[in-house]
Amino acid sequence: MEKLKVILVSLLLIVLLVGISSCENEEQISLAKDSKGVITSMPYQWKTSLSTDGGLIYGLIRESVSFDNNVLLSSQDGEAIKMAMLSSSSGKILWEWDDLFEEDRNFDVSRRYQYNQYFAFQRGNRA
């Protein structure tokens, strides 16, 4: 009986080892290429939700705003409209800013001013 247990355990280990060793890494980067071999699309590197309820974000940043290899985007947490700085490499939210006046909640950054680490945007006669 003891011999039978040893044989069954040995067979089970062999089956497990063969099963594990035959697994392939299925994570392959799928690049879409045209007929000349030029890459036309690539997969996302990361994904970050900027809306807690999955709804549309009412703030808008029309121009690309980047600093220290990070990117500034609009975000929304319930009723709070915010600006969020995301890491370009990981997609993690580094900081959020929500100190907006009530009338500026649907902000539209179409003119931005950036000098070194300082950033300002203008809407109407307010900056």
Side-chain angles (χ1 to χ4, degrees), residues 102-124:
E102 186 62 32
E103 59 269 13
D104 291 329
R105 286 195 52 226
N106 296 333
F107 63 87
D108 181 350
V109 179
S110 55
R111 290 207 172 139
R112 66 158 175 92
Y113 307 96
Q114 188 173 354
Y115 177 74
N116 293 329
Q117 74 272 20
Y118 300 105
F119 167 72
F121 71 93
Q122 180 179 351
R123 179 174 180 190

Side-chain angles (χ1 to χ4, degrees), residues 30-42:
S30 60
L31 302 174
K33 297 180 181 181
D34 66 9
S35 61
K36 296 180 183 177
V38 176
I39 297 173
T40 57
S41 81
M42 298 174 64

Side-chain angles (χ1 to χ4, degrees), residues 14-23:
I14 290 171
V15 169
L16 285 173
L17 288 174
V18 169
I20 290 172
S21 66
S22 67
C23 291

Side-chain angles (χ1 to χ4, degrees), residues 2 4 10 15 17-18 21 25 34 38 56 65-68 71 76 79 83 91 106 122 124:
E2 191 65 34
L4 184 60
S10 298
V15 169
L17 288 174
V18 169
S21 66
N25 184 3
D34 66 9
V38 176
L56 292 175
V65 179
S66 60
F67 174 73
D68 236 6
V71 62
Q76 187 166 335
E79 294 291 316
M83 292 183 187
N106 296 333
Q122 180 179 351

Side-chain angles (χ1 to χ4, degrees), residues 6-18:
V6 172
I7 292 172
L8 288 175
V9 169
S10 298
L11 284 173
L12 181 63
L13 286 174
I14 290 171
V15 169
L16 285 173
L17 288 174
V18 169

